[in-house]
Amino acid sequence: DTAVSQTPKYLVTQMGNDKSIKCEQNLGHDTMYWYKQDSKKFLKIMFSYNNKELIINETVPNRFSPKSPDKAHLNLHINSLELGDSAVYFCASSLRGGTDEQFFGPGTRLTVL
Amino acid sequence: RKEVEQDPGPFNVPEGATVAFNCTYSNSASQSFFWYRQDCRKEPKLLMSVYSSGNEDGRFTAQLNRASQYISLLIRDSKLSDSATYLCVVNLYPLRGSARQLTFGSGTQLTVLP
């Protein structure tokens, strides 16, 4: 019974395309996150979102946008994909935020050609 | 200076060895500290929280030195299954807004050899 799930697991696409990655959590958590892990394995937060507040890492290009249809879902939409967007994207959730343990999804490996 | 710094390794140790990982953080206002583990091509998972008085979970011991802004993880009697990347995690204010968030170090890679 998967706690945090992401689809797709792999995504290969051409530069300039628009793509979405979906994330769902069945833990009843209030806060969800998107992280990017680059080729050097550095895990960097992109967004933090709960039903009250979206917090955006100001270094994230505005081509990236999170969309939350409800508390259990936080999808990531990416416009005009670039080569540098190739990375593994992890969704995570926590009961509240900040200091709570975060549970991660299995990751989506995005390759932009 | 990075907000959370770790020795990237790799650390290659024989089974049964004791290995220690260190981590430093830059923001003295940080309040919560963790070690996460990430297996190859998998997601990070919480290994243990780190408390001011130090804490132990089986073969794993975590310590915190607030004065030096330093966190450590000690693994005793290493097993092959301990091979993974160990991520030092600190709660900071890396984003605009009011909420503290977790900031991950770049990880220390451990390989336990038979």
Side-chain angles (χ1 to χ4, degrees):
Chain A
D1 200 16
T2 306
V4 183
S5 59
Q6 292 178 232
T7 54
K9 193 173 172 90
Y10 299 96
L11 184 54
V12 181
T13 188
Q14 300 285 335
M15 258 176 32
N17 285 350
D18 301 340
K19 289 293 178 186
S20 292
I21 306 172
K22 295 186 176 180
C23 178
E24 176 181 0
Q25 54 95 3
N26 62 7
L27 297 167
H29 287 171
D30 285 337
T31 306
M32 297 182 73
Y33 312 83
W34 277 105
Y35 287 86
K36 177 181 180 181
Q37 188 168 45
D38 59 27
S39 57
K40 293 183 180 178
K41 308 300 182 188
F42 187 52
L43 195 67
K44 190 168 185 180
I45 191 164
M46 301 175 71
F47 304 101
S48 164
Y49 184 79
N50 62 25
N51 56 3
K52 298 175 187 174
E53 191 176 21
L54 170 65
I55 303 176
I56 302 170
N57 186 331
E58 58 196 11
T59 67
V60 174
N62 58 14
R63 298 181 294 104
F64 290 79
S65 55
K67 297 186 193 302
S68 181
D70 56 57
K71 193 173 118 170
H73 297 84
L74 184 66
N75 304 325
L76 181 65
H77 190 75
I78 316 169
N79 289 327
S80 303
L81 278 155
E82 300 178 358
L83 294 176
D85 297 334
S86 296
V88 181
Y89 292 84
F90 287 101
C91 175
S93 73
S94 65
L95 184 59
R96 293 175 294 262
T99 61
D100 286 341
E101 177 183 359
Q102 292 187 12
F103 293 81
F104 283 78
T108 295
R109 188 170 294 272
L110 171 65
T111 302
V112 182
L113 304 175
Chain B
R1 182 183 173 187
K2 288 182 186 173
E3 290 170 321
V4 181
E5 281 201 80
Q6 295 181 247
D7 181 344
F11 284 59
N12 298 316
V13 302
E15 262 188 296
T18 295
V19 60
F21 304 136
N22 302 319
C23 170
T24 57
Y25 59 96
S26 61
N27 190 329
S28 59
S30 303
Q31 293 182 351
S32 302
F33 310 90
F34 310 88
W35 285 99
Y36 275 67
R37 168 191 170 135
Q38 186 173 20
D39 293 324
C40 187
R41 301 180 79 86
K42 297 286 188 180
E43 70 273 22
K45 292 183 180 178
L46 179 67
L47 177 67
M48 59 196 300
S49 300
V50 185
Y51 302 119
S52 296
S53 54
N55 49 299
E56 192 173 300
D57 183 0
R59 298 181 294 108
F60 298 84
T61 300
Q63 293 198 315
L64 168 64
N65 184 323
R66 285 188 184 272
S68 303
Q69 294 178 206
Y70 170 94
I71 306 159
S72 66
L73 177 68
L74 184 77
I75 305 175
R76 291 182 300 279
D77 188 23
S78 300
K79 311 290 185 192
L80 296 178
S81 56
D82 294 335
S83 297
T85 296
Y86 290 83
L87 303 166
C88 175
V89 184
V90 177
N91 81 323
L92 294 169
Y93 291 102
L95 309 181
R96 288 177 294 138
S98 59
R100 288 176 180 264
Q101 304 294 340
L102 297 183
T103 296
F104 286 73
S106 54
T108 299
Q109 187 181 336
L110 171 67
T111 301
V112 180
L113 305 167

